[in-house]
Amino acid sequence: MDNNNVLVIGAGVAGIEASLLLANAGKKVYLIEKDLIIGGNVIKYEEVFANMECSTCMIAPKQQEVLQNENIELLSLSEVEKVQGESGNFTVTVNKKARYVSLTACIGCGMCYDPCPVSLKNEFEQNLSDKKAIYVPCAGSLPNVPAIDPEYCLQLSGKKTCNICVEACMFGAIDLTEKDEKVDLSVETIIVATGFDILDPNGFSQFGYGKHPNVFTAMELERLYASNGPTEGKITLRKGDKPPKSIAIIQCVGREHQGYCSSVCCMYSLKIAHYLRDKLPDAKIYNFHSDLCIPGKYNQKFYREVK
Ligand SMILES: Cc1cc2nc3c(=O)[nH]c(=O)nc-3n(C[C@H](O)[C@H](O)[C@H](O)COP(=O)(O)OP(=O)(O)OC[C@H]3O[C@@H](n4cnc5c(N)ncnc54)[C@H](O)[C@@H]3O)c2cc1C
Ligand code: SF4
Ligand code: SF4
């Protein structure tokens, strides 16, 4: 069978780059993303080390390219259920969840969010803010088209009759009758680019996460620093609206427990110190680490600057 198709699983920066390279080389790419938007973890950051470039400026053009490339078919809210066959000739069954909002009819105006009566924690914002049952995770999401969480939506969960968002949408983009579907794909090659998850900090009680309100994870701090985040870039304590006066950055959390080094926390700890120095020039910043591994001359330069 002459099959020129490639399946890329995960639309973070790695999956996006792989998809664009292959699509531009003439391959048909199916890009599967379990989330409703593309970009992965990098879109949570305001800036990226070592040059502290604007993350959105770096990744948004790539996201747009993916959405516009005719050789790439994006299946969002989708996960692989089954792979059969062999290299060169795979049949892949994908579970594609309903979005309940049309990717073509929606213009991303946001008029449906406020009227929705259901509020829930926004995981993208590390639960530091709320979202509605119809939502995009943050400003600047791509595709800029909301999805409805069927577990919390009054109508879809069967708790109560509700049609408020449908009435709020002037473009007829919302369809509460949409169903999940299974899609079979025939592909030659599969690329797995599913990235990482952060460690659950609740397992490390010695650091006081969950017990003391002002202990944060690195990802929470990324969102506090982000101009499109829950505080629009204001670094505040969890209780009250005040900025911290002194901060301890603790590295290597979970390394022994997991049995490996994340290989990234030395660098992002420096980034966090850089963020804090920028926003809180009078705060005292302490860094606790067992080793410090700063490979490469650009990273070393960044280290010297931050120190
Ligand atoms: C706090 C923190 C700060 C960081 N700061 C920087 C920085 O400043 N500069 C830098 O270079 N690096 C930084 N990093 C590292 C950077 O985030 C990663 O190198 C980068 O995100 C890896 O991209 P990725 O595409 O491999 O994975 P991810 O960004 O994790 O993307 C993976 C994608 O795959 C999707 N996915 C996962 N499982 C499935 C599945 N089963 N089916 C379908 N889709 C799936 C996810 O939803 C996601 O969209 C930081 C990391 C952390 C934790
Ligand atoms: S149907 Fe009602 S509860 Fe469900 S998303 Fe729309 S407004 Fe929210
Ligand atoms: S679904 Fe309708 S109201 Fe909601 S963002 Fe899209 S176009 Fe706007």
Side-chain angles (χ1 to χ4, degrees):
M1 192 172 84
D2 188 16
N3 184 339
N4 204 27
N5 305 340
V6 179
L7 174 72
V8 178
I9 309 172
V13 69
I16 285 179
E17 199 59 45
S19 300
L20 288 172
L21 278 169
L22 290 162
N24 292 335
K27 298 273 184 192
K28 162 85 188 179
V29 178
Y30 295 104
L31 176 57
I32 307 280
E33 170 53 53
K34 69 174 179 182
D35 213 334
L36 70 157
I37 57 169
I38 60 172
N41 280 294
V42 171
I43 56 169
K44 294 176 184 150
Y45 318 145
E46 180 80 1
E47 292 167 0
V48 280
F49 60 70
N51 293 331
M52 300 308 277
E53 289 161 88
C54 155
S55 178
T56 307
C57 313
M58 193 185 78
I59 196 161
K62 301 263 179 199
Q63 291 168 291
Q64 288 290 6
E65 235 184 297
V66 163
L67 298 177
Q68 283 157 14
N69 194 307
E70 287 183 352
N71 281 351
I72 301 178
E73 188 173 329
L74 172 67
L75 287 92
S76 51
L77 290 166
S78 298
E79 285 188 65
V80 170
E81 180 189 286
K82 192 167 62 181
V83 177
Q84 289 171 299
E86 57 191 0
S87 182
N89 188 16
F90 292 113
T91 301
V92 181
T93 307
V94 176
N95 278 331
K96 189 172 184 303
K97 287 196 198 136
R99 190 179 196 103
Y100 306 102
V101 183
S102 162
L103 282 163
T104 45
C106 170
I107 63 150
C109 67
M111 297 298 284
C112 51
Y113 311 151
D114 277 353
C116 172
V118 179
S119 285
L120 55 142
K121 288 286 171 211
N122 186 344
E123 306 94 340
F124 181 91
E125 298 294 12
Q126 312 301 300
N127 298 333
L128 294 168
S129 65
D130 291 342
K131 64 179 182 185
K132 293 302 182 85
I134 181 163
Y135 70 100
V136 288
C138 66
S141 293
L142 286 171
N144 184 23
V145 173
I148 298 181
D149 188 325
E151 204 185 322
Y152 294 95
C153 164
L154 298 176
Q155 174 72 26
L156 293 169
S157 64
K159 286 182 198 127
K160 212 171 156 187
T161 303
C162 183
N163 201 31
I164 295 173
C165 57
V166 178
E167 282 167 14
C169 178
M170 291 187 293
F171 301 91
I174 302 173
D175 175 7
L176 296 174
T177 65
E178 195 185 323
K179 298 274 177 270
D180 296 350
E181 49 179 322
K182 281 198 198 299
V183 181
D184 280 333
L185 303 173
S186 174
V187 297
E188 178 189 42
T189 309
I190 300 174
I191 295 178
V192 179
T194 48
F196 68 91
D197 277 331
I198 56 165
L199 196 69
D200 179 1
N202 289 304
F204 303 92
S205 56
Q206 68 272 39
F207 302 114
Y209 186 88
K211 188 169 160 210
H212 302 294
N214 293 323
V215 180
F216 291 86
T217 65
M219 205 56 101
E220 285 172 337
L221 199 90
E222 290 284 355
R223 292 314 293 156
L224 284 182
Y225 186 78
S227 47
N228 68 348
T231 57
E232 295 175 347
K234 214 166 129 200
I235 295 177
T236 58
L237 295 171
R238 212 186 292 266
K239 282 233 165 128
D241 198 24
K242 287 196 193 119
K245 290 190 186 128
S246 61
I247 301 131
I249 301 169
I250 306 175
Q251 289 184 219
C252 307
V253 174
R255 188 177 73 172
E256 270 178 38
H257 177 267
Q258 293 298 101
Y260 60 87
C261 161
S262 76
S263 79
V264 75
C265 89
C266 290
M267 281 305 291
Y268 76 60
S269 297
L270 294 182
K271 175 167 82 163
I272 284 172
H274 190 279
Y275 280 168
L276 294 168
R277 187 44 74 238
D278 169 37
K279 289 271 165 97
L280 307 170
D282 298 326
K284 276 201 180 331
I285 303 166
Y286 303 92
N287 186 296
F288 294 83
H289 55 263
S290 45
D291 303 304
L292 204 52
C293 177
I294 314 286
K297 61 182 173 186
Y298 292 109
N299 292 342
Q300 289 281 335
K301 185 169 165 275
F302 183 54
Y303 170 62
R304 283 194 297 276
E305 279 166 19
V306 174
K307 212 166 97 174

